Every structure is written in structure tokens, then in C-alpha cells.
Amino acid sequence: MFAQNLYVDVDMFLIFLRVDFQKFISNHTKFYDDKNGYWIGLHQSAEKNWLWIDGSNDTLRYWTTEPLSESGPCAVMIPDRNVTASWDKANCSIMNKFICEVTVTVREQKVNLSELTAQNEQLISQKTILEKEADELRRERATLERMMNFIIKLENFPVEEFCRQRGECFTIWLV
């Protein structure tokens, strides 16, 4: 009864199959072997009663009419069968997979709306600042491009001819 020992060792327990569990499990398990099913935590007592691992009596009785293997004092669920006729009696020493139910606690994460609003406003403010800086950089680039075009034109400017036409000269030093 490995699954029963596991129940004690790691605080897990096998599912007590009701119809809704049975349907869910049937839809989410695959037939992995033509001789084996999934242990479901049901076994036959010395008095020949079928009991769940918590000691309660089986009241569901979803036994198959087409057994897979030799009969035994433990129960397995066989996938791909009619949901209400999918249990088979099996020898407890067979190494079947088993179906366990665990309690999962989902913690709700509390969100501070005012904190999120403040963070959002801060991000919007940063975005506005960055957009202004980007505009300033675009203006500076345009100014630098105009200056470069002027310098290029100055290098090609006929200074001597200009001076002769005006009658006066001046010197421009470009660094």
C-alpha cells in the first residue's frame, strides 16, 4: 500500500471519488498500460467491506464489468471507461500510478491602488520629461546640421573676390 504510506509521509491523501471527481480524473488521465490503472485509495477490509483510506465506507461502487487483471483487495480506476463503471479490483502489490488530492492555498495579493496610481503618475511624468529631452536633442541636432552646412559653404566661399568687390577685407579664422 505504497500510496497509503505516501499519505502519511507527505500529507497527501487519495481522492475519495465522487462523480464530479470521477469525470475530472477520467478526462485528465491517460491509459498508460493495458494491465494497470490508477490507485484511488479504496481497499477491501478483512470483513470484505470496501473502505476508503480514511476508514469510511464506499457508497459509490463504480465497478467495471470488464476486469483488467486478477481480482484483489485494492481498487484502481481505469481511464477510457464509462465514468460510473471504471473501477477494477486489483492486487495491492502491483506498482500502479496513483491519484492524490492535495490542498492548495492560493494567497490573494492585495494591491494598493493609491500606490499604483502614484507609480503610474511618476511614470507619466518621467515619460513627459524624456519626450521634452528628445525634442531638445532634435532641435540641437537641427542647429548643428545648419552650422555644418554654413561651415561647408564658408570653406568654399571666394573670400578674395568678395573683398575686391566690397573694397575691404577681413579675415575669418575657422578652428
Side-chain angles (χ1 to χ4, degrees):
M1 304 236 81
F2 173 73
Q4 209 168 3
N5 292 337
L6 184 66
Y7 160 72
V8 173
D9 293 342
V10 294
D11 198 24
M12 295 174 77
F13 56 95
L14 294 170
I15 293 176
F16 307 118
L17 295 172
R18 300 184 316 254
V19 172
D20 55 338
F21 284 144
Q22 189 78 7
K23 286 179 185 174
F24 177 83
I25 290 166
S26 183
N27 290 333
H28 293 87
T29 54
K30 295 186 177 173
F31 200 51
Y32 68 94
D33 187 312
D34 63 350
K35 297 178 183 140
N36 298 319
Y38 292 83
W39 294 122
I40 58 174
L42 187 62
H43 67 279
Q44 196 171 34
S45 69
E47 295 81 28
K48 303 291 183 196
N49 296 322
W50 284 93
L51 303 173
W52 293 106
I53 59 171
D54 72 346
S56 64
N57 288 317
D58 166 40
T59 57
L60 301 174
R61 307 200 190 289
Y62 297 144
W63 299 107
T64 183
T65 55
E66 303 167 16
L68 275 184
S69 59
E70 63 184 70
S71 185
C74 288
V76 292
M77 188 202 78
I78 310 300
D80 302 328
R81 297 277 178 101
N82 177 333
V83 172
T84 58
S86 59
W87 295 356
D88 192 15
K89 298 172 184 174
N91 186 323
C92 297
S93 63
I94 297 174
M95 296 298 286
N96 289 312
K97 293 181 179 182
F98 48 91
I99 298 170
C100 291
E101 177 179 343
V102 294
T103 303
V104 176
T105 303
V106 178
R107 284 186 257 151
E108 184 177 322
Q109 183 176 3
K110 294 185 180 184
V111 176
N112 184 334
L113 189 57
S114 61
E115 187 178 312
L116 286 177
T117 303
Q119 289 174 353
N120 188 42
E121 288 172 0
Q122 185 180 11
L123 289 172
I124 290 171
S125 175
Q126 289 174 350
K127 178 184 175 201
T128 304
I129 291 168
L130 290 173
E131 286 173 343
K132 286 179 182 178
E133 288 176 359
D135 287 343
E136 182 63 29
L137 288 172
R138 280 191 284 274
R139 283 192 293 278
E140 286 179 18
R141 179 179 179 168
T143 301
L144 288 172
E145 286 176 353
R146 283 193 301 276
M147 289 173 69
M148 290 298 292
N149 287 335
F150 179 74
I151 290 170
I152 290 170
K153 288 178 183 175
L154 259 179
E155 286 178 349
N156 297 324
F157 187 76
V159 175
E160 291 175 13
E161 185 179 324
F162 178 78
C163 289
R164 267 185 297 209
Q165 289 175 358
R166 293 199 59 191
E168 57 185 78
C169 285
F170 58 91
T171 306
I172 300 174
W173 295 94
L174 297 177
V175 181

